[in-house]
Amino acid sequence: MSAFETAHLDPGTPNIARIYDYYLGGAFNLPADRDRADRIKSVLPGMEMLARFNRGFLRRSVAFMVDQGITQFLDLGSGLPTAGNTHEVAQARDPRAKVVYVDYEPVAAALGAEILRDNPDAVMVEGDARRPDELFADPRVTAVLDLDRPLGVVMTGVMVFVGDHEDPVGLMKAYRDACAPGSYIALSQLTDECADPETKVQVHAMVEAYKGVIEQLYVRDRAGVEALFDGMTLVEPGVTLMPDWNPRPGLDIPTLSPAHGLGYAAVGRVD
Ligand SMILES: C[S@@+](CC[C@H](N)C(=O)[O-])C[C@H]1O[C@@H](n2cnc3c(N)ncnc32)[C@H](O)[C@@H]1O
């Protein structure tokens, strides 16, 4: 099956990964995805820029981790491996870099596997980021990643799907405990803490507009994000708004937008 044909799996149903691909200017989205994405953008005009700020942080944090000597990445809740995703940044900086992408959404996983078919050092697996024990025991993961060596764990735009009732702090501790010392975890998180009242209303309308595509999105404040890094050492500059985390020419989006204040980002080191 070609990547294009795979993209047509369940074509009438808007798909979270393909909607995100549309925000990022990708080619793997369909009319149903674009219709829903446009509806979401109509309630939160900064939505597309928010996705781009998030992907910009991912790219800068992956570049940072490669610069620290990390050559293997586990990308949780990856969406599609396109539009400047982890393997594109990591393998451009270090051709030895290996990446396992994980998404629990079957269409994203199937399409991602198809897109990566010719890349022996990047694979996509269907799996649930909330089940680290299963992922770290999965032979599709251990075939690519040496879990005795430091990992770069990418958790951008995924903890927004994990509510406080699912013990996100305990989940982060499980990843921290499973990773070899010297590993890094990069994370971004939707917030409305810094938003003005009008934007706050727009954020909550956006969460409503996503219903039916996904179950729920959860916002967190700075303290909630800092708590996710308990037991890790936050690298400089700590928890910041997404575009403010180590801006770098070429990996950055220098655009002013109300979306600037809608996401926190940080990278923690496992000691
Ligand atoms: C907003 S996209 C983020 C894409 C990419 N990580 C980035 O930051 O640019 C979120 C993705 O996470 C996936 N996802 C949400 N919860 C998940 C879970 N528990 N396990 C695996 N994937 C999950 C969704 O299916 C979706 O494709």
Side-chain angles (χ1 to χ4, degrees), residues 100-122:
V100 174
Y101 288 107
V102 177
D103 206 292
Y104 70 175
E105 205 291 307
V107 173
L111 179 53
E114 180 70 24
I115 291 167
L116 295 172
R117 194 159 52 156
D118 296 327
N119 190 326
D121 292 324

Side-chain angles (χ1 to χ4, degrees), residues 14-27:
N15 175 276
I16 177 73
R18 292 189 312 228
I19 288 175
Y20 199 69
D21 179 70
Y22 175 58
Y23 293 145
L24 294 175

